Amino acid sequence: MSATQTQARSSTLVQRMKRISPLTIVVHLSVLLLVIMWTIPTFGLLVSSIRDKDQLAVSGWWTALSSSEQNLIARTNAPSTQVFENGVYILKGNIAPEGESVEVLAFGSSSQDPSAFEPGTTSTLRNGNTLNVETNGDYVFSSEKEFTGSRGKRIFYQAVEKPRWTLDNYREVLSSEGLGQSFINSLTVTIPATIIPILIAAFAAYALSWMQMPFRGLLLAVVIGLLVVPLQMSLIPLLRLYNEIAMYFGVGAKSYLGIWLAHTGFGLPLAIYLLRNYISNLPREIIESARVDGATDFDIFRRIVLPLSFPALASFAIFQFLWVWNDLLVATVFLGNGDEFLVLTGRLRELLGSRGGNWEILTASAFVTMIVPITVFFTLQRYLVRGLLAGSVK
Amino acid sequence: MDQIYSALLTMSLGVAGCILYFWGSNWLLGIIFPFRGQSHEQAARNLRIASSVRPWLFLGPALFFLFLYLVYPVIDSLRLSFMGRSGEEFVGISNYVWLFNDPEFQESLKNNVLWLLIVPAASTFFGLIIAALTDRVSWGNIAKSLIFMPMAISFIGASIIWKFIYDYRPTGSDQIGLLNAFVEYLGFEPQAWIAVPFWNNLFLMIILVWIQTGFAMVILSAALRGIPEETVEAAVLDGANGLQIFFKILVPQIWGTIAVVWTTITITVLKVFDIVLAMTNGQWNSQVLANMMFDWMFRGGGDFGRGAAIAVIIMVAVVPIMVWNIRNAQAQMEDR
């Protein structure tokens, strides 16, 4: 690089530095602060879900990286291993649990005072025995009398406990807490409940955009009105209807078919609204010229409209997917709480009741329910934003 | 796994059924009203009939679902709200009389008003601020994406996230909830936040604000970008400062969008029950209408009359927004 280039570059840097006013710094810092405020709850959950459950229960997740001091108890080797040297009986060994290492901060011989002695000092206990524990956990316990009994003597000590990370929480919730089954149930509900309404809505949107028919304005107004009808209004009548139909056919009222159709019905107003907005804005010339060429409405829809509306279809699909996956109300009412029907949100609610204090279960479970929608969100965000912008009634 | 296969199978059947319906009905129409090989008048007539029937074939399934799952239930809920607990016998307005004398309902109503005042206002406010700020930094898109992310999380998942933040341990032991740790760090007493009447409502609302701010931000950010540059440039030339430009030039130009965001969040607030169900289930004076309705649907085997009456109250709150939406959309369509 030549000197002039370097000079030029440094001068632009200086200029840039000058342009960064205090206000810009404030803007950057406030955005940073807001981002931290918005992400820290989820981040805390994620960190907690991979912590050891004993550590999770006693310390905040923000301390997860630092070691903590703990009072612990160990036992010496059994008296049968004692050796007789220089007139005293000696027990030797290491207090660390099998396969682990410890960092001893202090030790003692009674539970009242586990930090009586510094590591590395040979201390005389009340009964005349001596005990020395090194920082690495090596201990020497000596007595003038022979050690008796079958169990080792207790040593109380304070040690640094290193942070422990584990995937055990996930292993547990996926198998024994039934989250694996619920994951499959959720997929079973979500995939058909996303795809069925798209097809129905696309045809309807095409008819409302490009076909000559009476009451078009009225129908559109109805669809827009139905966009905001609270789900609560639908639940009781539909539950009764489902029960009657099930009774008539002699089957259970809770079924996957029932919830697919329910989600189809509830998702249709948004689907029709979104797709109509998009389809009615397709260039008129394309559709007219296809008509002139003798294409039927069915052909136009299949060959021209459907491929061109891919962005709108994708937007709605993501919406519906997120909504159905995250829904608790419709699933509870139309599927119930049977094990073969319980979706992730329902399972989460149940765990919140039964395992309310077990944060290792709750955090890992919550993360399992979030992983799919968050992946969908980050990979397909573009379509989601586009759908939001088109979907809010302006 | 079998379940997934059977779901996929049913889905393929469903999709195939849909396609068969649309294609088959179209084909049938061509058979019944042929226009080839007919006399001129006959062909013209058949063509006219077919093209007036066809839209209804396309719309048919959609209209069926909309009617069955939304229109009919609204009417039936209205009817049921005048019926007894099993929905069989007519009881007049006694459900409503009971409702307005029920302390739990009064408390829910009061709380819902609080939710309706605070959540849309706070979400829109934060959304607007964040939209304006992130447009000014180079990494704004990443920031937006992270703030938008809670939208993808279920209400119940979000409730667990925040319940963990509000977690309470008695004084003396280490706090594992972020809020109490912070409160202790500042030198105050830790609290069981979600069990403190009145204030717990605010702690529940924070969850919804956390989720909805991203939505407000995305819409408002697009609106801010759509503002013509000239108006801002003119204001700069006239010597307006940043705050003046924001509040006097930018915000007035996006009032329409702010109203849209506000009403959309208002509707979400009216429908949200998962958060209350998961956090308190209405204990400690934190009940809201949607959760109370859910509760009565199943309480003691389910009281359909009372449940429907509460649903109707929620619906009544939505109707003004509904009318406003329809009028807006119609005005917009006439503009085109």
Side-chain angles (χ1 to χ4, degrees), chain B residues 132-146:
Chain B
L133 287 177
T134 46
D135 278 348
R136 251 152 262 261
V137 296
S138 47
W139 47 286
N141 278 338
I142 300 169
K144 270 190 202 159
S145 185
L146 288 171

PDB file of all heavy atoms in Angstrom, chain B residues 132-146:
ATOM      1  N   ALA B 132     -37.616   4.355  15.044  1.00  0.00           N
ATOM      2  CA  ALA B 132     -36.909   5.590  14.708  1.00  0.00           C
ATOM      3  C   ALA B 132     -35.414   5.457  14.982  1.00  0.00           C
ATOM      4  O   ALA B 132     -34.587   5.905  14.192  1.00  0.00           O
ATOM      5  CB  ALA B 132     -37.495   6.753  15.505  1.00  0.00           C
ATOM      6  N   LEU B 133     -35.064   4.822  16.091  1.00  0.00           N
ATOM      7  CA  LEU B 133     -33.644   4.713  16.451  1.00  0.00           C
ATOM      8  C   LEU B 133     -32.901   3.745  15.540  1.00  0.00           C
ATOM      9  O   LEU B 133     -31.799   4.035  15.077  1.00  0.00           O
ATOM     10  CB  LEU B 133     -33.509   4.256  17.909  1.00  0.00           C
ATOM     11  CG  LEU B 133     -33.839   5.292  18.975  1.00  0.00           C
ATOM     12  CD1 LEU B 133     -33.723   4.671  20.352  1.00  0.00           C
ATOM     13  CD2 LEU B 133     -32.937   6.502  18.866  1.00  0.00           C
ATOM     14  N   THR B 134     -33.521   2.571  15.279  1.00  0.00           N
ATOM     15  CA  THR B 134     -32.792   1.556  14.507  1.00  0.00           C
ATOM     16  C   THR B 134     -32.567   2.005  13.063  1.00  0.00           C
ATOM     17  O   THR B 134     -31.628   1.544  12.424  1.00  0.00           O
ATOM     18  CB  THR B 134     -33.535   0.206  14.490  1.00  0.00           C
ATOM     19  OG1 THR B 134     -34.901   0.456  14.200  1.00  0.00           O
ATOM     20  CG2 THR B 134     -33.397  -0.517  15.804  1.00  0.00           C
ATOM     21  N   ASP B 135     -33.415   2.889  12.555  1.00  0.00           N
ATOM     22  CA  ASP B 135     -33.186   3.376  11.194  1.00  0.00           C
ATOM     23  C   ASP B 135     -31.923   4.217  11.099  1.00  0.00           C
ATOM     24  O   ASP B 135     -31.443   4.520  10.022  1.00  0.00           O
ATOM     25  CB  ASP B 135     -34.395   4.212  10.727  1.00  0.00           C
ATOM     26  CG  ASP B 135     -35.504   3.315  10.223  1.00  0.00           C
ATOM     27  OD1 ASP B 135     -35.233   2.124  10.028  1.00  0.00           O
ATOM     28  OD2 ASP B 135     -36.640   3.804  10.041  1.00  0.00           O
ATOM     29  N   ARG B 136     -31.394   4.622  12.236  1.00  0.00           N
ATOM     30  CA  ARG B 136     -30.247   5.508  12.261  1.00  0.00           C
ATOM     31  C   ARG B 136     -28.914   4.794  12.477  1.00  0.00           C
ATOM     32  O   ARG B 136     -27.883   5.435  12.478  1.00  0.00           O
ATOM     33  CB  ARG B 136     -30.435   6.525  13.395  1.00  0.00           C
ATOM     34  CG  ARG B 136     -30.710   7.901  12.920  1.00  0.00           C
ATOM     35  CD  ARG B 136     -31.513   8.627  13.963  1.00  0.00           C
ATOM     36  NE  ARG B 136     -32.914   8.561  13.576  1.00  0.00           N
ATOM     37  CZ  ARG B 136     -33.513   9.584  12.965  1.00  0.00           C
ATOM     38  NH1 ARG B 136     -32.869  10.687  12.742  1.00  0.00           N
ATOM     39  NH2 ARG B 136     -34.779   9.472  12.608  1.00  0.00           N
ATOM     40  N   VAL B 137     -28.949   3.503  12.755  1.00  0.00           N
ATOM     41  CA  VAL B 137     -27.680   2.811  12.985  1.00  0.00           C
ATOM     42  C   VAL B 137     -27.466   1.756  11.903  1.00  0.00           C
ATOM     43  O   VAL B 137     -28.415   1.207  11.350  1.00  0.00           O
ATOM     44  CB  VAL B 137     -27.623   2.147  14.391  1.00  0.00           C
ATOM     45  CG1 VAL B 137     -27.676   3.181  15.469  1.00  0.00           C
ATOM     46  CG2 VAL B 137     -28.724   1.134  14.559  1.00  0.00           C
ATOM     47  N   SER B 138     -26.185   1.495  11.635  1.00  0.00           N
ATOM     48  CA  SER B 138     -25.858   0.612  10.518  1.00  0.00           C
ATOM     49  C   SER B 138     -26.298  -0.832  10.792  1.00  0.00           C
ATOM     50  O   SER B 138     -26.637  -1.565   9.876  1.00  0.00           O
ATOM     51  CB  SER B 138     -24.361   0.650  10.268  1.00  0.00           C
ATOM     52  OG  SER B 138     -23.672   0.504  11.500  1.00  0.00           O
ATOM     53  N   TRP B 139     -26.298  -1.209  12.070  1.00  0.00           N
ATOM     54  CA  TRP B 139     -26.679  -2.593  12.388  1.00  0.00           C
ATOM     55  C   TRP B 139     -28.154  -2.660  12.792  1.00  0.00           C
ATOM     56  O   TRP B 139     -28.584  -3.595  13.470  1.00  0.00           O
ATOM     57  CB  TRP B 139     -25.786  -3.146  13.499  1.00  0.00           C
ATOM     58  CG  TRP B 139     -25.635  -2.205  14.664  1.00  0.00           C
ATOM     59  CD1 TRP B 139     -24.896  -1.064  14.699  1.00  0.00           C
ATOM     60  CD2 TRP B 139     -26.257  -2.304  15.947  1.00  0.00           C
ATOM     61  NE1 TRP B 139     -25.016  -0.443  15.918  1.00  0.00           N
ATOM     62  CE2 TRP B 139     -25.841  -1.192  16.705  1.00  0.00           C
ATOM     63  CE3 TRP B 139     -27.114  -3.235  16.526  1.00  0.00           C
ATOM     64  CZ2 TRP B 139     -26.280  -0.976  18.010  1.00  0.00           C
ATOM     65  CZ3 TRP B 139     -27.551  -3.019  17.839  1.00  0.00           C
ATOM     66  CH2 TRP B 139     -27.120  -1.903  18.555  1.00  0.00           C
ATOM     67  N   GLY B 140     -28.925  -1.670  12.324  1.00  0.00           N
ATOM     68  CA  GLY B 140     -30.336  -1.589  12.704  1.00  0.00           C
ATOM     69  C   GLY B 140     -31.143  -2.833  12.375  1.00  0.00           C
ATOM     70  O   GLY B 140     -32.026  -3.220  13.136  1.00  0.00           O
ATOM     71  N   ASN B 141     -30.814  -3.479  11.243  1.00  0.00           N
ATOM     72  CA  ASN B 141     -31.614  -4.641  10.856  1.00  0.00           C
ATOM     73  C   ASN B 141     -31.440  -5.803  11.824  1.00  0.00           C
ATOM     74  O   ASN B 141     -32.392  -6.507  12.129  1.00  0.00           O
ATOM     75  CB  ASN B 141     -31.253  -5.075   9.443  1.00  0.00           C
ATOM     76  CG  ASN B 141     -31.977  -4.223   8.426  1.00  0.00           C
ATOM     77  OD1 ASN B 141     -33.008  -3.621   8.741  1.00  0.00           O
ATOM     78  ND2 ASN B 141     -31.439  -4.132   7.222  1.00  0.00           N
ATOM     79  N   ILE B 142     -30.207  -5.972  12.297  1.00  0.00           N
ATOM     80  CA  ILE B 142     -29.976  -7.038  13.275  1.00  0.00           C
ATOM     81  C   ILE B 142     -30.733  -6.713  14.560  1.00  0.00           C
ATOM     82  O   ILE B 142     -31.399  -7.572  15.145  1.00  0.00           O
ATOM     83  CB  ILE B 142     -28.468  -7.175  13.567  1.00  0.00           C
ATOM     84  CG1 ILE B 142     -27.732  -7.515  12.275  1.00  0.00           C
ATOM     85  CG2 ILE B 142     -28.210  -8.227  14.617  1.00  0.00           C
ATOM     86  CD1 ILE B 142     -26.246  -7.424  12.388  1.00  0.00           C
ATOM     87  N   ALA B 143     -30.636  -5.445  14.970  1.00  0.00           N
ATOM     88  CA  ALA B 143     -31.321  -5.023  16.192  1.00  0.00           C
ATOM     89  C   ALA B 143     -32.817  -5.279  16.070  1.00  0.00           C
ATOM     90  O   ALA B 143     -33.451  -5.839  16.974  1.00  0.00           O
ATOM     91  CB  ALA B 143     -31.049  -3.550  16.459  1.00  0.00           C
ATOM     92  N   LYS B 144     -33.371  -4.910  14.906  1.00  0.00           N
ATOM     93  CA  LYS B 144     -34.807  -5.087  14.695  1.00  0.00           C
ATOM     94  C   LYS B 144     -35.187  -6.545  14.775  1.00  0.00           C
ATOM     95  O   LYS B 144     -36.177  -6.910  15.401  1.00  0.00           O
ATOM     96  CB  LYS B 144     -35.176  -4.565  13.314  1.00  0.00           C
ATOM     97  CG  LYS B 144     -35.539  -3.121  13.311  1.00  0.00           C
ATOM     98  CD  LYS B 144     -36.113  -2.801  11.955  1.00  0.00           C
ATOM     99  CE  LYS B 144     -36.004  -1.324  11.709  1.00  0.00           C
ATOM    100  NZ  LYS B 144     -36.075  -1.022  10.296  1.00  0.00           N
ATOM    101  N   SER B 145     -34.381  -7.356  14.111  1.00  0.00           N
ATOM    102  CA  SER B 145     -34.673  -8.769  14.069  1.00  0.00           C
ATOM    103  C   SER B 145     -34.698  -9.370  15.477  1.00  0.00           C
ATOM    104  O   SER B 145     -35.550 -10.192  15.806  1.00  0.00           O
ATOM    105  CB  SER B 145     -33.580  -9.326  13.192  1.00  0.00           C
ATOM    106  OG  SER B 145     -33.680 -10.559  12.926  1.00  0.00           O
ATOM    107  N   LEU B 146     -33.770  -8.933  16.322  1.00  0.00           N
ATOM    108  CA  LEU B 146     -33.715  -9.468  17.690  1.00  0.00           C
ATOM    109  C   LEU B 146     -34.896  -8.996  18.529  1.00  0.00           C
ATOM    110  O   LEU B 146     -35.441  -9.745  19.343  1.00  0.00           O
ATOM    111  CB  LEU B 146     -32.401  -9.073  18.360  1.00  0.00           C
ATOM    112  CG  LEU B 146     -31.169  -9.802  17.823  1.00  0.00           C
ATOM    113  CD1 LEU B 146     -29.897  -9.198  18.368  1.00  0.00           C
ATOM    114  CD2 LEU B 146     -31.240 -11.281  18.172  1.00  0.00           C
TER     115      LEU B 146
END
